[in-house]
Amino acid sequence: MPRTAVVALGGNAITRGGQSGTYAEQAENAHAMARAVCALRDAGWNVVLVHGNGPQVGNLAIQQDEAASIVPALPLFCVNSMTQGQLGSLLGLALLAEGRGRLPGVVSVVTHVMVDPADPAFERPTKPVGPYFTEAQARVLAQERGWDMIPDGER
């Protein structure tokens, strides 16, 4: 019976520190991940890949906000689904390209999670999304846009 590996890929592995998140950067990072997954497959493992999307959903939310005077911005859960689909496509294409016919199939799934709107965690958000800002930039953006800003490690 084949073994199964669950590979968890954070959104920061798709858009790395110092990168702005261009498609070319994300695709290059996805191909590096795909080579590692293909090596696992070649070693006899089944692989389930899960991914985060914090930087990507934050970037898309900013794009939505900036374009709101032209087209209506969508709610965060829609933006989250959009980036899940985008990253699923990006990773699937990288896996197919790196697998060169060795993979039996690649499937991407968009998920939704129900969260209790009364959850007290909403009073103090701790999961940052989007790009990293300097402390000075964060103060200005929090003041001007009403954003909740929190530190994320050394960044």
Side-chain angles (χ1 to χ4, degrees), residues 65-95:
D65 190 50
E66 291 295 316
S69 65
I70 301 170
V71 294
L74 298 174
L76 185 60
F77 82 91
C78 289
V79 175
N80 185 52
S81 297
M82 292 165 71
T83 57
Q84 283 184 49
Q86 180 258 323
L87 293 174
S89 175
L90 178 79
L91 295 169
L93 291 171
L95 286 163

Side-chain angles (χ1 to χ4, degrees), residues 24-114:
E25 290 169 341
Q26 292 181 62
E28 183 178 328
N29 296 333
H31 278 267
M33 175 281 315
R35 288 188 291 277
V37 168
C38 287
L40 283 170
R41 289 282 305 156
D42 292 343
W45 289 82
N46 287 325
V47 179
V48 175
L49 177 65
V50 297
H51 65 80
N53 62 342
Q56 296 80 19
V57 75
N59 287 353
L60 186 55
I62 290 170
Q63 290 175 345
Q64 293 274 313
D65 190 50
E66 291 295 316
S69 65
I70 301 170
V71 294
L74 298 174
L76 185 60
F77 82 91
C78 289
V79 175
N80 185 52
S81 297
M82 292 165 71
T83 57
Q84 283 184 49
Q86 180 258 323
L87 293 174
S89 175
L90 178 79
L91 295 169
L93 291 171
L95 286 163
L96 291 171
E98 296 295 334
R100 295 178 182 87
R102 298 188 325 262
L103 299 176
V106 175
V107 175
S108 178
V109 178
V110 173
T111 62
H112 295 275
V113 175
M114 297 297 294

